Amino acid sequence: MTALRKYQRLECGGLWRETPQDQRREVLVRFGDATLVLSDPKSGAAVSHWSLPAIERVNKGQEPAIFAPGTDAHESLELDDPDMIAALGTVHQAVQAATAKPGRLRGVLLAGSAAAVVLAAVLWLPGALVSHTASVVPPAQRADIGQRALDDLIRVTGEPCKDQLGLQALAALSERVFGPVDTPILYVMPEGVEQPLHLPGDVIILPRKLIEQANGPEAAAGAALVERLRMKAEDPIVPLLQYAGLRATFELLTTASLPDTALNGYGEAMLRATPVALPDAALLAAFEAAQIPATPYALAIDPDGKATADLATNDPYKGLAPSPLIPDDSWVALQGICGG
């Protein structure tokens, strides 16, 4: 969340529970760009990633402060560091302001820009309205809209796979691919997802088969890497607004609120959508920079090797023994993320 960059290097200790029945466990808490990263203080391995906009304090006015990664979450985090508590409070206020209580100044700015954009949209193309609206939606609201799109997708696929050891391994894989600061939230869906997807709010969705049918984490890591590139190539909120329509887009621009029904059916639309094509040169550069072999990903998404032949042929790590992306026991746990 770009408005909160002053907190990016903030770290503190905390006490984490996987479930209410578990013992509290010491963790290192690190404030990232869009996530809160919880890691083992001895090994440094990530044990959980929380989406910053979804975090809620569950004991307002009481000490020590206790947070959860969502309304229905089983995990909890106990904090007594005032700077970290203040940072999470700032995030919550930003989410509330962007999604439920748009400020007067923001309303004036939105209304003023809306008039100009509506005129442009009438005179030029509907795409002008979508493009401008996408450019002014703040990060907190993007995350909220992305969550709504995820909720619609869940109607089709079922809830994301939730095995706790698998989630820890998935968080560790995300951190290995993207680094500890700019780390997206990864989900694995139990059914219905045949190709990787992404959503506003830095959310990447992986097909179950990329994990359960693979010999290692490289294919899933490559899929996440490529989806992040697609996310940068085309703002993920643009196709979402195109689906929602001009009336819903105009309402978002003028009231900072997307109608409740605007995303009905968007989950099915995402599953049918054709992925944005990316140049092989850009893909290979990203794989090389992340030190991930490209061949496992290329073969996983195109077993015949026709569409991804150049990617596999020019793999910068072809023929080399790759360093493990995550430990073997983490890979085993990740393969069981959907419960076997």
Side-chain angles (χ1 to χ4, degrees):
M1 299 175 67
T2 54
L4 302 171
R5 293 198 182 280
K6 65 179 180 179
Y7 296 123
Q8 273 193 347
R9 298 187 180 277
L10 186 61
E11 292 184 350
C12 73
L15 296 174
W16 172 65
R17 291 183 196 263
E18 291 186 27
T19 71
Q21 293 75 35
D22 290 324
Q23 293 290 327
R24 295 182 302 173
R25 171 181 172 182
E26 290 188 8
V27 292
L28 179 65
V29 183
R30 184 169 62 249
F31 197 101
D33 188 53
T35 62
L36 197 70
V37 182
L38 314 184
S39 58
D40 185 294
K42 295 181 180 179
S43 68
V47 298
S48 191
H49 280 176
W50 292 8
S51 173
L52 281 173
I55 295 174
E56 297 184 0
R57 183 167 179 173
V58 298
N59 67 336
K60 295 179 181 179
Q62 302 179 36
E63 298 294 339
I66 299 177
F67 296 88
T71 305
D72 300 322
H74 297 296
E75 297 177 73
S76 64
L77 177 65
E78 184 177 308
L79 296 173
D80 57 14
D81 184 278
D83 292 334
M84 184 65 75
I85 293 171
L88 294 178
T90 301
V91 171
H92 184 73
Q93 290 173 6
V95 172
Q96 292 295 101
T99 60
K101 302 173 182 177
R104 182 177 301 174
L105 177 58
R106 175 167 174 76
V108 171
L109 293 175
L110 285 173
S113 61
V117 173
V118 169
L119 178 60
V122 171
L123 296 178
W124 301 336
L125 293 170
L129 179 62
V130 170
S131 298
H132 181 75
T133 303
S135 71
V136 299
V137 176
Q141 192 167 23
R142 283 174 170 269
D144 179 71
I145 292 172
Q147 182 61 53
R148 289 173 59 183
L150 179 63
D151 290 342
D152 192 79
L153 179 65
I154 286 171
R155 293 186 307 101
V156 183
T157 65
E159 292 282 342
C161 299
K162 293 182 177 179
D163 177 81
Q164 190 59 48
L165 290 177
L167 289 175
Q168 293 178 23
L170 191 64
L173 183 64
S174 182
E175 186 165 332
R176 163 59 182 83
V177 175
F178 301 103
V181 176
D182 191 22
T183 313
I185 297 289
L186 305 186
Y187 290 107
V188 179
M189 308 310 257
E191 60 183 24
V193 178
E194 297 298 323
Q195 61 189 17
L197 307 170
H198 61 268
L199 293 169
D202 217 4
V203 170
I204 294 174
I205 297 165
L206 300 176
R208 182 176 181 176
K209 65 179 182 180
L210 275 183
I211 293 170
E212 294 186 346
Q213 298 177 14
N215 294 323
E218 291 79 14
L225 184 67
V226 172
E227 280 310 294
R228 173 59 85 75
L229 291 179
R230 289 194 174 109
M231 196 182 300
K232 292 180 178 180
E234 180 185 54
D235 187 341
I237 207 168
V238 168
L240 184 149
L241 293 178
Q242 290 172 338
Y243 176 87
L246 290 180
R247 179 175 295 181
T249 300
F250 181 67
E251 185 169 333
L252 175 63
L253 181 64
T254 55
T255 69
S257 177
L258 198 63
D260 292 339
T261 59
L263 299 183
N264 288 355
Y266 187 60
E268 290 96 328
M270 282 194 295
L271 295 175
R272 295 191 301 266
T274 301
V276 174
L278 299 172
D280 284 343
L283 296 179
L284 289 167
F287 276 98
E288 184 171 15
Q291 299 182 11
I292 298 171
T295 303
Y297 164 76
L299 295 178
I301 64 167
D302 180 31
D304 294 334
K306 296 180 180 179
T308 58
D310 290 342
L311 197 60
T313 300
N314 297 302
D315 184 351
Y317 296 99
K318 187 174 182 178
L320 301 177
S323 301
L325 298 183
I326 53 176
D328 288 343
D329 57 347
S330 295
W331 168 236
V332 172
L334 183 54
Q335 286 193 296
I337 193 172
C338 294

